[in-house]
Amino acid sequence: MKKSLLVAGLLMMCTLGASAAEKTVEQGVKVMKAKYDGYTFQLNDKVTRTKVEFHNRYGIKLVGDLYMPKNAKGQMPAIAISGPFGAVKEQCSGLYADELAKRGFVTLAFDPSFTGESGGEVRNVASPDINTEDFSAAIDYLVNQKYINPEKVGILGICGWGGMALNAAAMDTRIKATVASTMYDMTRVNANGYFDSANSPEARYELKKALNMQRTEDYKNNSYKRAGGVPDVLPEDAPWFVKDYFAYYKTERGYSERSLNSNAGWNTTSSLSFINMPILQYADEITSAVLLIHGEKAHSAYFSKDAFKKLKGANKELLLIPNAVHTDLYDQKNIIPFDKIEDFYKKNM
């Protein structure tokens, strides 16, 4: 397959070509639903969940689920949560929000612009600028609620939204603490390919050439070609980490009707803006606390390790989880270090 067609950063399926998932959605062959009435997890009986709406600085309506401890009193600490890249609030971000609400935080799991229940046209597209802004928009909402302590607000980004969270922390001084779990730097992987294997002007030119040719076709057809999500049937030569994605997004464990990765994927041209806009450029200027968490065996661990090298100050920490892979930190509660995350936020907010 030509390197120009390896839209590497849009998770993984562009590296395998158009997926069986895309064909399945179009043909209506397979019907699958999220396990718990639209969600991939059960709501804790000590927590309430309420749908809320807010807007970002570009006027895009964002939709989130607000998780509250049932015993909440006074002004509470709050955490805005999003990710993974191509997922929705009914998946991992909601699971994290539910668990942290049980532990005494008000949490807001939200769908980023152009995805899930949130607004924005065209659909199924990502932006390093707008999606960073989405975190700050969530902060806007939280600090304006009378039951939130505006001096105790943090964010948590999972997978591709871990990188967005670091970018937001570098920009938004209201954020007191940031957790990035199983982080992807989406700008790096789009510009350089996985493991920086296509890090050359020539490779980037071929990629941009292919994507811009697709732009021409999209405009002519007045529609946007989808890249394909995780396939229904894995190719025999699928990388092992794609098999991990399959085990989450295409099974009862993590399937969601709204998730791009569970279905037809992002727009193929969605990665264009990521190629030229490195989101971690000013990570060394983050003065607030940061905790990076990654599986020791994750294919993506190099993103957190390299991001940590950029961070400065005694309030920055990298935690590697022994034997864990990338998707273990999506939903495996016996592996996700929630005790550590809870202590981190309580100490730094």
Side-chain angles (χ1 to χ4, degrees):
M1 181 174 289
K2 294 180 180 179
K3 286 187 177 180
S4 62
L5 298 180
L6 299 180
V7 190
L10 299 183
L11 268 181
M12 55 285 163
M13 286 308 106
C14 292
T15 64
L16 301 178
S19 75
E22 186 173 12
K23 298 175 184 177
T24 299
V25 170
E26 291 174 356
Q27 296 171 1
V29 172
K30 184 176 181 180
V31 176
M32 197 172 186
K33 293 186 177 181
K35 189 173 182 180
Y36 298 104
D37 193 25
Y39 292 80
T40 62
F41 59 94
Q42 284 184 304
L43 181 68
N44 190 279
D45 59 9
K46 297 180 180 179
V47 173
T48 62
R49 180 170 59 205
T50 306
K51 189 164 292 186
V52 299
E53 295 181 358
F54 52 104
H55 64 274
N56 67 19
R57 195 164 47 90
Y58 298 101
I60 298 171
K61 181 183 77 173
L62 301 175
V63 178
D65 286 328
L66 190 72
Y67 292 78
M68 293 273 291
K70 287 185 177 179
N71 61 353
K73 294 180 181 179
Q75 286 192 312
M76 302 283 292
I79 306 165
I81 306 174
S82 196
F85 196 79
V88 286
K89 65 186 181 301
E90 291 84 5
Q91 295 174 301
C92 310
S93 60
L95 180 144
Y96 274 71
D98 179 70
E99 178 66 26
L100 290 171
K102 183 187 75 173
R103 293 167 179 259
F105 302 91
V106 175
T107 56
L108 175 59
F110 65 91
D111 289 330
S113 295
F114 312 109
T115 65
E117 290 188 293
S118 288
E121 296 293 341
V122 171
R123 306 302 297 164
N124 314 311
V125 68
S127 161
D129 179 15
I130 296 174
N131 295 142
T132 296
E133 159 64 21
D134 289 343
F135 267 116
S136 286
I139 300 298
D140 292 340
Y141 175 83
L142 289 170
V143 299
N144 278 286
Q145 306 308 309
K146 62 182 180 180
Y147 50 84
I148 298 299
N149 184 339
E151 298 302 316
K152 293 187 176 183
V153 177
I155 59 176
L156 192 156
I158 307 162
C159 186
W161 260 258
M164 304 292 186
L166 289 182
N167 198 31
M171 177 187 69
D172 195 330
T173 57
R174 300 170 300 175
I175 297 169
K176 299 300 187 290
T178 300
V179 173
S181 180
T182 197
M183 185 197 81
Y184 259 59
D185 176 351
M186 297 307 302
T187 53
R188 177 178 177 180
V189 75
N190 274 287
N192 301 343
Y194 277 108
F195 315 113
D196 300 323
S197 61
N199 184 17
S200 71
E202 295 77 16
R204 277 186 286 276
Y205 177 80
E206 291 300 321
L207 174 59
K208 289 183 281 189
K209 182 179 178 181
L211 293 175
N212 283 298
M213 289 177 64
Q214 186 60 51
R215 285 189 65 148
T216 300
E217 289 300 307
D218 288 347
Y219 191 89
K220 179 175 69 175
N221 298 330
N222 195 30
S223 64
Y224 292 82
K225 182 180 179 181
R226 303 286 287 277
V230 180
D232 286 333
V233 179
L234 282 170
E236 291 183 5
D237 60 347
W240 61 267
F241 65 88
V242 174
K243 296 177 182 177
D244 289 336
Y245 285 128
F246 178 91
Y248 180 78
Y249 285 109
K250 298 302 292 188
T251 71
E252 191 179 60
R253 171 185 165 194
Y255 179 85
S256 170
E257 295 89 328
R258 294 194 179 105
S259 169
L260 299 181
N261 296 337
S262 290
N263 297 289
W266 295 92
N267 293 349
T268 299
T269 59
S270 189
S271 63
L272 266 169
S273 60
F274 286 81
I275 297 171
N276 290 351
M277 300 181 186
I279 56 176
L280 301 187
Q281 185 171 358
Y282 295 105
D284 60 340
E285 296 184 6
I286 300 174
T287 59
S288 55
V290 174
L291 172 62
L292 303 178
I293 303 169
H294 227 112
E296 189 177 44
K297 292 187 175 180
H299 70 283
S300 52
Y302 71 102
F303 292 123
S304 285
K305 291 177 181 178
D306 288 353
F308 182 68
K309 294 174 185 176
K310 295 176 179 286
L311 302 177
K312 296 180 179 179
N315 58 354
K316 313 296 191 294
E317 185 175 353
L318 171 63
L319 176 62
L320 296 176
I321 309 300
N323 300 314
V325 299
H326 183 84
T327 54
D328 284 339
L329 297 186
Y330 281 9
D331 65 336
Q332 300 301 298
K333 287 188 175 183
N334 61 323
I335 296 176
I336 301 169
F338 278 116
D339 289 344
K340 173 66 177 180
I341 294 171
E342 176 186 354
D343 290 343
F344 170 80
Y345 280 123
K346 288 181 175 178
K347 176 183 176 182
N348 291 290
M349 291 199 312

